[in-house]
Amino acid sequence: MQILCFIIVLCVFASSAIGAYPESTVGYEQPVYNLTANQPKDGSYEVRRYATSKWARTNVTAWSWEEASATGFKRLFAYISGDNNRQIKMDMTVPVVVGFYANPCVFCQDHFTVWFYIPEIYQASPPIPTDPSISIILMESWVEYFRIFSGFAVGDRPYKETNHLSKDMKKNGMAADIDESTMYLGSYDPPFKMFHRHNEVSMIKAKK
Ligand SMILES: *[C@@H]1O[C@H](CO)[C@@H](O)[C@H](O)[C@H]1NC(C)=O
Ligand SMILES: *[C@@H]1O[C@H](CO)[C@@H](O)[C@H](O)[C@H]1NC(C)=O
């Protein structure tokens, strides 16, 4: 089953623009954050405060997060490849983030969001996407909880990892900060990288 999933994911990715995905994302620009003072003692997750920043976001309706990720990435990749009002080609940034409901609908399509962090030099004035399904979103500085995991994020793995994150947060007395309405999967590696893959699932701190 795992191998089948893996092959499907590879095919989905290969059929999208991801052919141009960089060999290694080491050294790619990432959104700016600091670790907050209240890290869990057991190190089971990370608490990060991100700086206010702009992101390109696209909504995707799909049967699975893998399908949403491929569709969304293809759109965002066109945007950074020049499909914008200034025909600017932007460098890739990491991670590619997919947002989804923690409780997937098994027999229907779900709504997903796919996010791309705008490179620093375009943060002040991002080029406007030609594709109307992409919006530029201003995220005011926020706190987010992350669980890091290795290997391939396929199938229900992100959901399981998010459950784990919720449990660990509860164990550390952070139940009130959990917002399971939307979880995020951040991918740092191209699909063909076999080892030392870095993935993370996360939840933004619940608003009280
Ligand atoms: C991170 O910490 C530095 C030093 O305290 C501070 O200048 C910066 O604004 C912080 N950034 C965020 C995103 O909190
Ligand atoms: C994406 O979805 C959000 C939330 O439903 C909505 O507010 C926004 O207008 C949508 N954006 C586009 C470009 O359709």
Side-chain angles (χ1 to χ4, degrees):
M1 185 58 189
Q2 286 236 302
I3 289 179
L4 179 64
C5 288
F6 174 54
I7 290 169
I8 290 170
V9 171
L10 274 188
C11 294
V12 169
F13 276 108
S15 66
S16 76
I18 211 145
Y21 210 101
E23 187 101 20
S24 161
T25 51
V26 172
Y28 277 76
E29 214 182 302
Q30 300 186 24
V32 179
Y33 68 85
N34 287 342
L35 295 181
T36 65
N38 62 330
Q39 300 298 314
K41 287 191 186 64
D42 60 6
S44 55
Y45 56 90
E46 263 181 30
V47 192
R48 303 178 187 164
R49 173 178 292 283
Y50 279 86
T52 297
S53 47
K54 290 182 189 140
W55 296 67
R57 184 194 72 188
T58 185
N59 297 343
V60 184
T61 303
W63 293 99
S64 69
W65 71 263
E66 282 112 324
E67 182 196 342
S69 171
T71 304
F73 184 80
K74 196 171 169 180
R75 289 182 199 160
L76 295 170
F77 191 79
Y79 166 61
I80 68 173
S81 302
D83 285 358
N84 56 66
N85 67 333
R86 280 139 62 199
Q87 286 92 49
I88 288 174
K89 287 186 176 36
M90 284 173 274
D91 281 340
M92 183 69 197
T93 60
V94 289
V96 172
V97 176
V98 186
F100 43 121
Y101 299 129
N103 298 307
C105 177
V106 181
F107 300 109
C108 56
Q109 299 193 87
D110 268 322
H111 299 293
F112 300 86
T113 48
V114 184
W115 302 71
F116 168 78
Y117 172 68
I118 305 282
E120 187 60 39
I121 50 166
Y122 302 114
Q123 276 284 326
S125 142
I128 297 161
T130 331
D131 180 347
S133 76
I134 302 175
S135 316
I136 303 299
I137 306 290
L138 172 68
M139 293 287 290
E140 298 288 346
S141 181
W142 73 99
V143 171
E144 191 164 346
Y145 298 87
F146 285 81
R147 176 178 169 83
I148 296 159
F149 62 102
S150 194
F152 284 91
V154 291
D156 62 359
R157 178 115 193 244
Y159 298 98
K160 287 183 172 153
E161 299 291 347
T162 306
N163 282 340
H164 229 296
L165 173 59
S166 288
K167 272 184 205 144
D168 289 336
M169 286 174 67
K170 282 178 193 147
K171 213 163 65 190
N172 283 288
M174 310 294 266
D177 288 351
I178 297 174
D179 175 3
E180 281 177 337
S181 67
T182 310
M183 52 182 266
Y184 297 91
L185 170 70
S187 304
Y188 286 75
D189 301 304
F192 44 80
K193 181 177 169 185
M194 297 303 288
F195 303 109
H196 308 297
R197 298 179 61 83
H198 179 111
N199 317 288
E200 49 197 29
V201 287
S202 59
M203 287 184 281
I204 291 179
K205 182 177 177 175
K207 292 195 176 62
K208 294 189 182 133

